[in-house]
Amino acid sequence: MLHLDKMSCGYGNLTVVEDLSFNIARGEIFALIGANGAGKSSTIMSIAGHVQVKSGKILFKERDITSVPVTKRVSLGIAIVPEGRRLFTDMSVSENLAMGCYSLPKSRLSRNRDKVLELFPRLKERINQQASSLSGGEQQMLSIGRALMAEPELLIIDELSLGLMPKVIDLCYQAITALREQGVTILLVEQNTTRALEVAERICVLESGRDVWQGTAAKACDDPELIKAYLGLNQE
Amino acid sequence: MLFVNLCMQGLLQGGIYALIAIGLTLVYGLLRILHVAHAGLYTLGGYIAVIVTNTTGSFSLGLMTSMLAVGLVGMVIYRLIYQPILDKPPFVALIASIGLFIALEEIYRIIFGPYGITFAAVPLQGAVNFAGTYLRECEIAAVLLATLLIAALTLFTKHSRIGIAWRATVTDPEMSQSFGVDVVKVRYLNFFIGSAMAAGAGSMVALMNNLVEPTMGSVPSYKALAIIVLGGLGNVRGTLIAALVIGIAETFGTIYLGDYLDRDSIAFAFLILVLMVKPTGLFAKG
Ligand SMILES: Nc1ncnc2c1ncn2[C@@H]1O[C@H](COP(=O)(O)OP(=O)(O)O)[C@@H](O)[C@H]1O
Ligand SMILES: [Mg+2]
């Protein structure tokens, strides 16, 4: 569904990710793992269209989207839950959800909203509250909810569990697995490798902008050297 | 009686300031530019209103033409002046804006003459008894127009799709793009609405003074800057309140402090006072 072909990306003259290739199949959860500064966020922000691709290609549903403008990618079926949530803080929960639906006809708003509120009933109680007044966990739910409003085929989530309490992390992961059941493909960036290995079918480990390991999560768990070198660092 | 009268005059003055300052704060909120030339558009609004009214005999037509035309000029200014230098440091746009403001004043001087222009027959001058004090019809019309435009803006940004997208873009342009918002369209809209509101203010001031002159925007230009700083740069509601507070402070100040302070310095005395107590302005966010 999403195919990165020797993609390099960066900022200005700086290249932070080099020759990265991977292939995400429809309906799977694919996790991108790596230490702080490895280039995970840069990778997914270039898939979302915010970070400049220097060479290589990004293919989505067999189509080359490398030079498709940011604003058009959401209608292709890509939605993002960015690092730090980046909600529209001055606006209400309901308005944030409405923004998620901006690229779709107005008629889809109430149906999609009902779906999101069913997935995250906590948001229903806060529907008219300002986004900035929510707790960290509620903000993450809202950020996921906002992305789901766009009816994505590929949902990209950066640092799902960062800064959240274990209970809330459970909730978010339940939501993620429920979404996979509904057929949404998920690209997950996670520093919490234990969690990522639990849900992901396959993982890619990045180090300093290069991929050092790719394979199934099951295989990663059986590889003591890999665990020692890259995955053991950020356990819960 | 004097008290009620001063309150009314203060609200009137505050309403005019609000119409000018809101456009300024909108531009700052979206682009982080101090759009000094905005006051030049307020003057242009006055000129167009007088000229169209004198040609057609209808002030309402003059007012509407002025708002529409100046709104479009605002969009052109964005396209020609600001868009090419958006990636430069903010002082570049500030210099460009000050330059443009001076150029506009000189252009008005060349085209419309240095002494200003007046209405051939000034409409809406009758006096109306309002709560025991007299107000002119044009003053009531100015208050009504300010209320109407600000209410319309509020409804628009709260309830329309593009209005909500506009607020989202102010908070996080990148994310709003990610959800499909064309931020360039939002910027044009922003300049259109802000400039049209300033033109509305210029038209009403032209009517109340029966005069439009090239430098009509000089004092409002720096006073509007003081108001948006007080209101917490980029904060529309704060700007509205600050404009009303300054309007009222000026009217009362002229009577009670007039011997010590010039009318136009009151806003700045107030600004200095507030900034000493609360350096982020009255209504800074978070
Ligand atoms: N806006 C930026 N400008 C320049 N360099 C950046 C920017 N954002 C990130 N970087 C650099 O890119 C590298 C990768 O960062 P990032 O993609 O955020 O890593 P991760 O998400 O894995 O922690 C880091 O060295 C970081 O300093
Ligand atoms: Mg990151």
Side-chain angles (χ1 to χ4, degrees), chain B residues 43-213:
Chain B
T43 312
L44 181 62
Y47 275 115
I48 296 178
V50 171
I51 290 165
V52 174
T53 307
N54 286 350
T55 324
T56 65
S58 158
F59 177 72
S60 353
L61 189 64
L63 173 67
M64 281 190 291
T65 315
S66 157
M67 289 181 61
L68 197 70
V70 173
L72 294 175
V73 172
M75 288 163 72
V76 171
I77 288 179
Y78 163 70
R79 177 66 192 86
L80 297 183
I81 311 283
Y82 295 131
Q83 202 189 61
I85 53 177
L86 278 181
D87 54 350
K88 303 272 185 305
F91 69 83
V92 177
L94 181 63
I95 293 169
S97 193
I98 295 172
L100 176 64
F101 183 45
I102 297 170
L104 283 176
E105 287 192 345
E106 294 311 314
I107 291 171
Y108 302 149
R109 205 185 305 278
I110 292 165
I111 299 180
F112 305 113
Y115 303 115
I117 63 173
T118 59
F119 286 97
V122 208
L124 297 174
Q125 296 299 310
V128 179
N129 188 331
F130 187 89
T133 73
Y134 283 93
L135 283 175
R136 287 184 297 156
E137 284 162 2
C138 57
E139 294 172 334
I140 295 174
V143 172
L144 285 180
L145 182 74
T147 314
L148 189 80
L149 290 179
I150 292 165
L153 178 68
T154 310
L155 287 178
F156 177 71
T157 53
K158 284 252 184 270
H159 298 291
S160 75
R161 233 166 128 86
I162 178 81
I164 295 174
W166 180 6
R167 280 160 58 215
T169 307
V170 170
T171 311
D172 193 332
E174 238 181 40
M175 275 306 116
S176 103
Q177 279 183 308
S178 259
F179 289 101
V181 178
D182 180 345
V183 299
V184 174
K185 250 190 225 160
V186 168
R187 290 180 196 147
Y188 279 122
L189 177 77
N190 190 321
F191 272 86
F192 181 83
I193 290 181
S195 308
M197 286 175 86
S203 309
M204 296 320 290
V205 169
L207 189 58
M208 290 186 285
N209 299 342
N210 191 23
L211 176 68
V212 180
E213 47 184 354

Side-chain angles (χ1 to χ4, degrees), chain A residues 35-42 44 83 158-159 162 189 191:
Chain A
N36 232 329
K40 307 178 297 292
S41 297
S42 304
I44 62 174
E83 189 169 4
D158 200 352
E159 306 289 9
L162 193 69
V189 165
Q191 295 213 12

Side-chain angles (χ1 to χ4, degrees), chain A residues 153-168:
Chain A
E153 291 173 66
L154 174 68
L155 180 64
I156 304 178
I157 308 179
D158 200 352
E159 306 289 9
L160 178 62
S161 68
L162 193 69
L164 302 183
M165 302 198 312
K167 247 186 171 163
V168 183

